[in-house]
Amino acid sequence: MALVVVTGASVLTACTADPSPSAVSVAWAGAAKHSVRVTWKDDNAPNRITIEGVLSEGPSYVQYLPAGQGNSWDIPTSAFPPDGNYRVVVTNGTSKDGLTGSPAKSPVFDTDGPVRPNSALALKHRSGVLVRWTVPAARQDFTPNDPLDVTGKRVLKYVPMIGRPGAQPVAIGPATTTPSQVIKDIKPPFLFQVRTENEWSSNLGAQAIGLTSTATVWAPPLAQFGLSIRVQGRVVLQKTQCAPEADCALEQTTAAGIPLTVLSQLTPNARWTPVAVGKTSAGGHYDIPVVTPSSRPYKVVASSYATPGVLTSAAVSPEVFTRAVVRLARGGFLPGNNVKTGHPVTISATVSPSYSSVATLELWNRHTRQWAYVTRVPLKRGQVLYAFKAGAVGEYSYRFVFPRTASAGRNMSGLTTPQFNLRIRP
């Protein structure tokens, strides 16, 4: 009975007398480094080839080889998990009959992937867009001089890729060792990425976004001559957003700090000239003061600009028109608005611009509750004066109506002043 038990155990469990492979080694199977060649020594027994992680228990790759196949096997690099320490294990046996003998292991080697590039900067170029990026220092090698280390200077290759709305990112050129790329004849919106490659894997990094922008603008339809108005609006950006294994999509965003220029035509049919500058604030909004010396059209240009990883195209808003209105500089009575009956009094007003014409003086009629015509007063270089004697005791309200005029080749609205109140006492 004891003999039977021992014999059965020898079938299920390998003994030290069973043949085992030895001298397991690994090396690159060719200059392209697309696969790792494993070699070992044994008596042409069937083998099981596995990849074993130094810190993991189960194999990540299993391959059974029949007897007589030779003591060599090529494992594709895609079978090795990236960024870890591994070794190849060779054992005699089959999937049907089990394993015999002791496993033999190769030296430990690392599968560190390429360093991810970062800090991309996109700049306008005479033939398109220039993108530059930087690459951090390589991580520490914890298995120096392992059998699969690349001898000499380790070279990273960069594959430039472009993503556009409605499609996944695609390579736009061959792999290069230069950390810069000129993208010819391209306009936003786009997403630029760099795919770095080494013998083990690839990484995406050095992202640069090409944005398009649209600008809205608002200005008051009427403005007093020579005073500031507020040109307001918003700049909205469109960007390409790419998720892994999905088509890129177009999304809206905003940014602060976009440089803006307010343009105007100083005279009809003249070229558009800068009259003010500003920048967007949070949410893409802007509010820029502009002096209105005459009736003018306005539009806002959101300039193209570049920041690390971002390149924005220019945008021009629609036109808006602000009509200038004659402005009252000062007005009232001389020597004051409280005089004795029969005394002389002068009502005056000064307007801007200083033009010459004829103004109308009106008096408020309390009975008809309407403004009544008094007289026409010459307007000379923006000033009117009308002298009269104070009449009956009471309180009176006067106003001037100034006609429209023209400035810089465009019409300007006239002005009806606020009422000037006069008190006549006994």
Side-chain angles (χ1 to χ4, degrees), residues 92-113:
N92 289 348
T94 66
S95 59
K96 180 179 180 181
D97 299 324
L99 304 179
T100 60
S102 300
K105 301 181 179 182
S106 73
V108 174
F109 54 89
D110 67 77
T111 60
D112 291 343

Side-chain angles (χ1 to χ4, degrees), residues 220 223-229 290-296 298 322 324 412:
Q224 294 187 62
F225 177 86
L227 298 185
S228 292
I229 61 171
V290 179
V291 177
T292 56
S294 62
S295 301
R296 288 181 178 180
Y298 296 98
T322 296
M412 183 185 303

Side-chain angles (χ1 to χ4, degrees), residues 7-262:
T7 304
S10 66
V11 175
L12 300 176
T13 305
C15 298
T16 56
D18 293 332
S20 299
S22 62
V24 178
S25 64
V26 290
W28 292 110
K33 299 180 178 59
H34 293 318
S35 58
V36 174
R37 180 160 296 167
V38 186
T39 58
W40 64 93
K41 293 181 180 179
D42 70 358
D43 294 330
N44 290 324
N47 300 116
R48 186 184 78 159
I49 311 296
T50 61
I51 299 173
E52 178 184 276
V54 173
L55 301 178
S56 61
E57 297 180 357
S60 60
Y61 171 90
V62 178
Q63 176 68 44
Y64 286 93
L65 303 175
Q69 89 292 338
N71 294 340
S72 175
W73 181 250
D74 291 350
I75 304 175
T77 54
S78 59
F80 292 87
D83 301 323
N85 296 320
Y86 299 90
R87 54 194 169 197
V88 176
V89 181
V90 181
T91 312
N92 289 348
T94 66
S95 59
K96 180 179 180 181
D97 299 324
L99 304 179
T100 60
S102 300
K105 301 181 179 182
S106 73
V108 174
F109 54 89
D110 67 77
T111 60
D112 291 343
V115 178
R116 186 188 304 274
N118 57 20
S119 302
L121 178 63
L123 302 169
K124 294 187 68 175
H125 189 269
R126 60 180 179 274
S127 59
V129 176
L130 170 64
V131 183
R132 295 193 183 102
W133 59 90
T134 59
V135 181
R139 61 179 66 89
Q140 181 180 353
D141 186 357
F142 292 98
T143 60
N145 302 316
D146 73 50
L148 295 179
D149 271 351
V150 177
T151 58
K153 183 179 180 181
R154 181 169 291 195
V155 177
L156 284 178
K157 292 184 178 181
Y158 311 104
V159 179
M161 306 186 70
I162 285 292
R164 292 183 176 279
Q168 295 189 28
V170 295
I172 59 170
T176 177
T177 58
T178 304
S180 64
Q181 179 73 29
V182 175
I183 314 172
K184 295 183 178 180
D185 302 324
I186 189 169
K187 294 181 180 180
F190 64 82
L191 175 68
F192 175 87
Q193 293 175 321
V194 175
R195 188 178 68 216
T196 56
E197 299 177 339
N198 70 358
E199 58 274 9
W200 293 112
S201 59
S202 65
N203 259 327
L204 277 176
Q207 179 170 288
I209 304 174
L211 305 174
T212 57
S213 58
T214 56
T216 60
V217 66
W218 178 89
L222 298 175
Q224 294 187 62
F225 177 86
L227 298 185
S228 292
I229 61 171
R230 312 298 297 192
V231 176
Q232 301 170 328
R234 191 183 188 198
V235 177
V236 177
L237 307 175
Q238 293 81 36
K239 71 175 183 178
T240 300
Q241 185 68 29
C242 299
E245 308 300 328
D247 289 346
C248 302
L250 191 63
E251 296 183 357
Q252 287 192 346
T253 186
T254 58
I258 298 176
L260 303 172
T261 303
V262 181

Side-chain angles (χ1 to χ4, degrees), residues 333 360-366 368-375 388 395-400 420 422:
F333 296 93
T360 301
L361 179 64
E362 296 180 340
L363 173 65
W364 178 251
N365 188 316
R366 291 187 178 87
T368 63
R369 303 191 65 80
Q370 290 182 339
W371 287 97
Y373 171 81
V374 175
T375 186
F388 60 97
E395 293 185 357
Y396 302 88
S397 296
Y398 293 86
R399 74 178 186 182
F400 283 108
F420 302 131
L422 176 66

